[in-house]
């Protein structure tokens, strides 16, 4: 509602005019101009980023064009087709994907394999630069082409034009491609595909989605008449269902003109078939899919809660998404925290929500569990959802997540001129295919700044209250097929829900540390040697304790500094009997946290900071890697110092690590490929004990105290270490941090290097059959 204010003078004038109305002609006072509308008001429509040029040709084709200079001299080109397997007739199952294959096997301008030969000839490869995919609802073709040669860019648009309306469909090529597509179908027929075949009819019960898996059926692929393929292309590859996306290092006005000239010639059909979006019917009862397979390597249980998609047209919708992201981050954080227990109920777990198919969204709880731990794992994830429903989240949790969320927006804003063209191309594809808003980072960061601070616990807790819905619920279980082990029944799974509903679930306790990361103040040391390398733009310092530092300020990123550090030695210097504690020493120690902060407390203490430091012990070196935002550099240096000097022993974290390692190793050993890989490794290393694969037999060699001892020894002398920093930092500002924290790293003058552990490859040719 807009309120219009009148000045005192205007009020007197109106009274005067009314009093002498009989003597004067009618006078109408013009209202004061309304104040400009607030573009960030909750009821305002989400805007479109002004940096992208969007248009629609007379034939219905849409386009998105944006000039962007990262990467330099490159352009991302996309042809978006708003149809996938969902529109196939029964006689065409798999042909949406088949058309995608045929687009690379000959077009109006490129005979047979000339297209791939040309693209490879300009330095492109299938995968990173040249690819396509077919889904339920869309088919997308992707090119990355150089822009330093205008002819190559023009050729890129010719290729998109041919794909949009000029695929050749040579009869001989079609029949040759049958074998390729069928082989792709066979290549996907592993455990995951077999599980999907049984889960999709349950997830999509009553919907066309259950019957239109994009890869299709072998029966259709082997025998479809050529005319079915060309009919699919003629019906659905039409300009009103297509869009061109072009983002790159080019003149946007010129590229827009090229698109208008080149694609206006595409003709829409005289009679167009309706583009349907099938519904996924609601259901009151709980649906189940319980699948076992001999090649599955781990049991996973998921609970899907299907829901209707919500609008995202106005600012209030965007704010709702921010609230949802905080909810899932907090619930996911609690699940992650439970994996750190001495005997975790699951190996990993997650809570998420988002798009499912166009007519349905989904919320999901999932967990991977140890063999025999399905009931315990399912109960644990349900308990956390139930705990959130009954008691809500804590103010401390919400504030941490709000801080982290805002920091993520600020990072994106800081890097706005470094955004890769591919990221923009993906955004614009989402806008065309699913009508996702594209307001631009300037608008999004301002909405976040304005509304995130005001999001309340009540709002987030309201989502928790409705999360565990009973309608539209699907329980999915997939696990290994084990002789003598029965599959869980539907009744058993439902009983877990009922048991959790009857439990006395206490409120969550937030484990947080207190005080600064580093309590003691350190005195900076001197830089005893300085060097400049003008040829590569580096600065080198030698500190009083011997640490060597190489620094290279760059402008590749605005909000990123990365670093690495190494000192020669590694676990090559550790006795062979201690090989397992040595190769796990860095992971085991990092799991314990640093100083007075356990890992969980440390993660919470770092909320809102963009920083990551990882200690490592390899065979030849020990050191660190990681990075941070420039504003969090001091925290990075503090963590380096703490990991080197104050690693923390945590027996509970070690027990958790052992359990999760067991799950990882068992999963690895269940893979058929592992037998082959391990035998190859054994042959090429001649069975060297330091090249053994990590097996369940080696889990017994894990040793917390020995790992901590090895870690302490490897980092006891860093006087011979080299640290390398690259990124958005100022030498004058980073110097005191280097002198203070790296200058106080331990240095004993120990002289050492790595040693050759004696791994020798076999001579000659080795022939071996592996079954």
């Amino acid at each position: 509602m807009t309120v219009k204010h009148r000045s005192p003078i205007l009020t007197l004038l109106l009274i005067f005019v009314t009093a002498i109305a009989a003597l004067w002609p009618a006078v109408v006072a013009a209202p004061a101009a309304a104040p400009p509308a607030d573009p960030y008001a909750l009821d305002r429509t989400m805007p479109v980023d002004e940096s992208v040029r969007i248009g629609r040709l007379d034939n219905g084709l849409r386009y998105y064009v944006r000039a962007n200079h990262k990467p330099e001299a490159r352009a991302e080109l996309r042809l978006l087709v708003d149809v996938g397997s969902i529109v196939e007739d029964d006689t065409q199952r798999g042909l949406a994907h088949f058309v995608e294959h045929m687009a690379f096997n000959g077009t109006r301008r490129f005979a047979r394999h000339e297209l791939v030969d040309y693209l490879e000839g300009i330095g492109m490869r299938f995968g990173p630069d040249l690819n396509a995919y077919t889904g339920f609802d869309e088919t997308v073709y992707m090119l990355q082409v150089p822009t330093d040669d205008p002819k190559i860019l023009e050729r890129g648009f010719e290729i998109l034009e041919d794909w949009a309306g000029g695929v050749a469909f040579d009869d001989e090529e079609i029949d040759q491609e049958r074998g390729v597509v069928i082989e792709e179908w066979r290549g996907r027929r592993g455990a995951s595909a077999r599980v999907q075949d049984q889960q999709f009819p349950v997830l999509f019960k009553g919907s066309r989605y259950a019957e239109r898996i994009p890869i299709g059926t072998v029966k259709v692929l082997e025998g479809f008449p050529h005319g079915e393929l060309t009919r699919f292309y003629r019906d659905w590859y039409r300009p009103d269902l297509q869009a061109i996306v072009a983002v790159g290092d080019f003149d946007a006005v010129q590229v827009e003109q090229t698109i208008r000239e080149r694609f206006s010639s595409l003709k829409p059909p005289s009679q167009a078939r309706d583009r349907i979006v099938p519904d996924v019917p609601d259901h009151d009862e709980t649906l189940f899919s319980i699948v076992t397979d001999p090649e599955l390597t781990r049991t996973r249980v998921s609970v899907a809660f299907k829901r209707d998609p919500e609008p995202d047209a106005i600012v209030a919708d965007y704010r709702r998404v921010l609230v949802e992201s905080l909810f899932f981050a907090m619930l996911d954080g609690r699940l992650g925290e439970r994996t750190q227990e001495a005997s975790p109920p699951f190996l990993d777990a997650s809570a998420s929500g988002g798009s499912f198919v166009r007519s349905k969204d989904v919320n999901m709880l999932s967990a991977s569990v140890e063999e025999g731990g399905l009931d315990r794992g399912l109960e644990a994830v349900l308990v956390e959802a139930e705990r959130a429903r009954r008691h809500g989240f804590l103010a401390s949790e919400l504030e941490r997540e709000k801080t982290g969320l805002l920091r993520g927006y600020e990072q994106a804003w800081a890097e706005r001129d470094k955004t890769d063209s591919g990221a923009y191309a993906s955004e614009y594809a989402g806008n065309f295919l699913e009508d996702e808003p594209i307001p631009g980072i300037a608008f999004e960061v301002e909405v976040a700044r304005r509304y995130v601070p005001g999001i309340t616990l009540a709002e987030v807790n309201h989502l928790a209250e409705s999360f565990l819905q009973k309608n539209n619920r699907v329980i999915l279980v997939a696990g290994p097929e084990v002789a003598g082990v029965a599959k869980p029944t539907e009744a058993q799974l439902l009983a877990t829900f009922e048991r959790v509903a009857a439990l006395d679930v206490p409120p969550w306790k937030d484990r947080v540390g207190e005080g600064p990361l580093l309590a003691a103040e350190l005195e900076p040391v001197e830089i005893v040697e300085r060097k400049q390398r003008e040829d590569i733009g580096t600065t080198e310092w030698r500190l009083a304790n011997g640490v060597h530092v190489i620094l290279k300020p760059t402008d590749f990123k605005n909000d990123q500094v990365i670093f690495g550090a190494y000192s020669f030695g590694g676990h090559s210097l550790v006795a062979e009997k201690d090989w397992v504690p040595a190769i796990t020493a860095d992971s085991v120690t990092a799991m314990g946290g640093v100083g007075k902060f356990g890992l969980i407390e440390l993660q919470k203490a770092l909320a809102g900071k963009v920083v990551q430091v990882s200690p490592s012990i390899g065979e030849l070196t020990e050191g660190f890697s990681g990075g941070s935002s420039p504003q969090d550099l001091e925290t990075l240096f503090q963590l380096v110092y703490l990991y080197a000097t104050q690693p923390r022993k945590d027996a509970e974290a070690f027990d958790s690590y052992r359990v999760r390692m067991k799950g990882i190793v068992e999963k690895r050993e269940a893979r058929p490929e592992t037998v082959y890989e391990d035998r190859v490794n054994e042959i090429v290393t001649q069975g060297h004990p330091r090249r053994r694969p990590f097996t369940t037999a080696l889990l017994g060699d894990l040793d917390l105290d020995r790992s901590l001892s090895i870690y302490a020894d490897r980092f006891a002398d860093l006087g011979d270490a080299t640290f390398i920093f690259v990124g958005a930092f100022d030498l004058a500002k980073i110097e005191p941090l280097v002198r203070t924290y790296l200058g106080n790293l331990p240095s004993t003058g120990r002289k050492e290097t790595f040693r050759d552990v004696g791994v020798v490859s076999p001579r000659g040719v080795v022939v071996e059959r592996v079954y």
Side-chain angles (χ1 to χ4, degrees):
M1 176 179 176
T2 301
V3 179
K4 299 174 183 176
H5 298 280
R6 296 190 180 116
S7 68
I9 295 176
L10 179 57
T11 302
L12 290 172
L13 178 59
L14 288 175
I15 294 172
F16 176 73
V17 168
T18 303
I20 59 172
L23 302 176
W24 286 81
V27 177
V28 178
D38 179 6
Y40 305 102
L42 292 174
D43 61 349
R44 292 300 300 275
T45 300
M46 293 289 287
V48 174
D49 188 352
E50 295 179 354
S51 299
V52 58
R53 307 173 74 91
I54 301 176
R56 185 190 297 270
L57 305 182
D58 291 341
N59 58 15
L61 182 138
R62 291 168 60 184
Y63 62 80
Y64 302 75
V65 178
R66 179 178 185 141
N68 186 61
H69 306 299
K70 296 293 179 182
E72 296 179 1
R74 290 290 184 274
E76 293 284 343
L77 307 182
R78 304 279 191 274
L79 168 65
L80 313 176
V81 188
D82 190 27
V83 289
S85 59
I86 204 65
V87 302
E88 295 168 344
D89 296 333
D90 288 339
T91 55
Q92 297 175 326
R93 293 176 64 177
L95 298 197
H97 175 242
F98 206 107
V99 167
E100 174 209 313
H101 275 246
M102 293 305 299
F104 294 94
N105 284 335
T107 66
R108 182 186 302 122
R109 295 180 178 86
F110 295 89
R112 298 198 172 189
H113 300 295
E114 288 181 5
L115 174 57
V116 174
D117 291 342
Y118 168 75
L119 291 170
E120 289 179 344
I122 61 172
M124 298 177 63
R125 299 162 300 165
F126 271 100
D129 313 308
L130 168 67
N131 215 330
Y133 76 85
T134 303
F136 283 114
D137 285 298
E138 74 275 345
T139 306
V140 177
Y141 299 85
M142 298 167 280
L143 293 176
Q144 187 189 87
V145 299
T147 59
D148 44 6
D149 184 343
K151 293 181 180 178
I152 294 178
L153 179 59
E154 183 73 20
R155 201 70 164 156
F157 286 111
E158 289 181 351
I159 294 168
L160 295 189
E161 183 187 359
D162 275 8
W163 285 342
V167 176
F169 296 109
D170 178 81
D171 288 352
E172 183 179 345
E173 288 294 318
I174 292 173
D175 290 332
Q176 288 183 359
E177 199 65 23
R178 289 182 198 268
V180 175
V181 177
I182 291 171
E183 187 57 34
E184 183 179 340
W185 181 92
R186 288 191 179 120
R188 296 183 182 183
R189 301 314 298 163
S192 60
R194 293 191 292 271
V195 169
Q196 175 185 283
D197 288 346
Q198 297 183 64
Q199 288 185 342
F200 274 15
V202 178
L203 276 168
F204 298 122
K205 183 180 180 181
S207 171
R208 188 181 178 91
Y209 283 105
E211 305 168 352
R212 290 296 183 272
I213 309 303
I215 193 64
T217 67
V218 170
K219 181 180 179 180
V220 170
L221 295 173
E222 286 180 334
F224 69 85
H226 296 176
E228 284 295 304
L229 189 65
T230 55
R231 180 169 70 86
F232 180 91
Y233 186 75
R234 183 176 62 252
D235 284 346
W236 300 114
Y237 274 61
R238 61 193 205 220
D240 61 306
L241 294 176
Q242 295 176 331
I244 300 297
V245 175
V247 184
D249 194 6
F250 50 54
D251 182 328
V253 174
Q254 183 177 342
V255 165
E256 180 182 17
Q257 184 61 29
T258 297
I259 292 172
R260 297 190 70 86
E261 292 173 354
R262 185 166 292 284
F263 292 89
S264 292
S265 60
L266 296 175
K267 303 296 184 186
S270 55
Q271 291 185 329
R273 295 181 62 178
D274 291 336
R275 168 60 169 100
I276 59 170
V277 177
D279 187 28
V280 178
D282 293 330
H283 49 90
D284 293 328
E285 75 280 14
T286 297
L287 304 179
F288 297 86
S289 173
I290 304 169
V291 183
T292 59
D293 190 278
E295 289 186 9
L296 281 178
T297 59
R298 180 179 294 180
T299 297
R300 189 160 188 86
V301 57
S302 300
V303 186
F305 305 94
K306 294 180 287 187
R307 56 187 173 88
D308 291 334
E310 298 196 64
D312 53 11
I314 62 175
V315 175
D317 298 328
Y318 193 94
R319 185 186 184 279
R320 185 199 70 247
V321 172
L322 295 174
V323 176
E324 291 172 353
S325 69
L326 292 170
F327 165 77
F328 284 112
M330 287 188 285
L331 183 54
D332 202 54
R334 287 185 177 184
L335 294 172
E337 195 165 323
R338 295 207 58 184
T339 65
Q340 308 299 315
E341 295 174 4
S343 178
F346 36 69
L347 301 173
D348 62 70
S350 63
S352 61
S355 179
F356 187 39
V357 291
R358 290 195 183 176
S359 54
K360 271 289 185 289
D361 287 346
V362 67
N363 294 334
M364 187 82 75
L365 281 173
S366 297
S368 294
V369 300
E370 285 190 285
E371 203 55 49
L374 173 61
D375 185 65
R376 182 172 176 240
L378 176 58
E379 178 179 305
V381 294
L382 293 176
V383 161
E384 293 315 321
E386 183 68 18
R387 194 192 315 271
R389 187 186 71 81
R390 295 187 197 177
H391 305 292
F393 294 97
L394 302 175
S396 55
E397 294 177 283
L398 180 59
E399 289 310 309
R400 277 197 305 271
E401 294 301 338
K402 285 161 71 171
T403 300
L405 181 60
L406 283 172
R407 186 61 187 278
Y409 275 98
E410 296 297 345
Q411 266 200 296
W413 175 247
E415 299 289 359
R416 61 191 180 280
D417 61 334
K418 310 292 185 181
T419 303
D420 191 87
S421 294
Y424 287 123
S426 296
E427 280 189 35
Y428 305 149
N431 178 259
F432 173 71
L433 296 169
E434 300 199 42
D435 205 26
E436 295 175 358
I438 47 172
I441 186 58
F443 186 88
E444 292 185 64
V445 74
E446 183 56 35
V447 170
R449 287 169 179 165
R450 179 176 296 200
Y451 291 114
V452 168
I455 293 173
T456 66
L457 269 177
E459 291 179 88
V460 181
N461 291 340
H462 177 70
L463 294 178
E465 292 170 7
S466 59
F467 185 74
L468 291 175
Q469 66 190 47
K470 290 187 177 180
N471 65 310
N472 286 338
R473 183 172 68 184
V474 184
I475 302 175
L476 309 167
V477 178
E481 186 176 296
V482 181
V485 178
K487 294 194 294 187
T489 66
E490 296 179 6
Q492 288 171 332
L493 294 170
L494 280 179
T496 304
F497 281 79
E498 294 167 0
R499 186 170 64 252
V500 169
L503 286 176
D504 180 17
V505 180
W508 180 261
K509 292 183 179 180
D510 197 11
R511 292 169 51 184
V512 294
E514 295 181 358
L517 286 179
L518 187 59
E521 289 193 16
L522 304 175
E523 292 296 325
V525 305
E526 293 300 317
I527 297 175
V528 297
E529 184 181 357
R530 299 174 184 262
K531 290 182 182 179
Q532 295 291 133
R533 285 286 305 272
E534 301 295 342
D535 54 336
I536 57 175
T538 60
T539 297
E540 298 186 33
W541 297 332
R542 179 78 63 180
L543 305 179
N545 63 348
V547 170
H548 181 208
V549 186
I550 302 173
L551 306 109
K552 182 177 176 65
T554 64
D555 59 0
F556 299 126
K557 293 283 187 179
N558 298 327
D559 197 42
Q560 182 189 73
V561 178
I562 58 175
F563 89 105
Y566 64 91
S567 170
F568 288 122
H571 55 70
S572 68
L573 304 182
V574 177
E576 201 165 276
K577 65 182 178 63
D578 291 326
W579 180 67
V580 170
I583 64 173
T584 57
D586 48 10
S587 298
V588 165
T589 306
M591 287 291 298
V594 290
K596 60 184 179 181
F597 291 86
L599 183 61
I600 292 171
E601 292 84 359
L602 179 62
Q603 291 169 342
K604 292 176 181 179
L606 298 176
K609 294 184 182 294
V610 180
V611 61
Q612 187 262 327
V613 174
S614 298
S616 62
I617 302 176
E619 186 168 82
L620 307 181
T621 63
E622 60 273 344
F624 302 93
S625 62
S628 78
S629 167
Q631 71 186 73
D632 296 317
L633 266 176
E634 183 162 15
T635 302
L636 179 146
F637 279 95
Q638 289 176 341
L639 289 172
V640 169
Y641 179 81
L642 286 168
Y643 275 119
T645 63
Q646 298 178 35
R648 183 178 177 276
K649 180 178 179 178
D650 190 326
E652 183 179 8
F654 176 72
D655 289 340
S656 172
Y657 175 80
R658 191 203 302 271
V659 170
R660 285 181 287 124
M661 277 295 294
K662 180 174 180 287
I664 292 170
V665 173
E666 287 176 343
K667 178 180 178 181
R668 180 184 179 277
E669 290 177 337
R671 296 172 58 245
E673 297 88 349
T674 296
V675 178
Y676 174 76
E677 294 165 358
D678 288 354
R679 183 59 185 140
V680 170
N681 176 68
E682 186 179 12
I683 291 170
V684 299
T685 66
Q686 300 194 81
H688 195 285
R690 289 180 183 259
R691 292 296 183 271
R692 288 172 288 173
F694 209 105
T695 63
T696 50
L698 293 181
L699 290 171
D701 291 343
L702 290 170
D703 186 322
L704 174 59
D705 290 327
R706 189 66 190 118
S707 286
L708 289 171
S709 176
I710 292 168
Y711 182 96
D713 175 70
R714 289 296 80 224
F715 289 95
D717 182 6
L718 290 171
D720 61 348
T722 297
F723 284 78
I724 304 168
F725 292 86
V726 178
F729 60 83
D730 179 87
L731 286 172
K733 292 180 180 179
I734 203 172
E735 179 177 328
L737 302 177
V738 168
R739 292 173 56 197
T740 300
Y741 297 103
L742 302 189
N744 279 284
L745 292 175
S747 178
T748 64
R750 186 169 66 183
K751 302 296 182 183
E752 64 180 11
T753 186
F754 58 84
R755 72 181 181 91
D756 185 347
V757 297
V759 180
V760 180
S761 298
R763 293 184 177 183
V765 177
V766 178
V767 178
E768 176 115 4
R769 287 190 176 94
V770 180
Y771 295 95

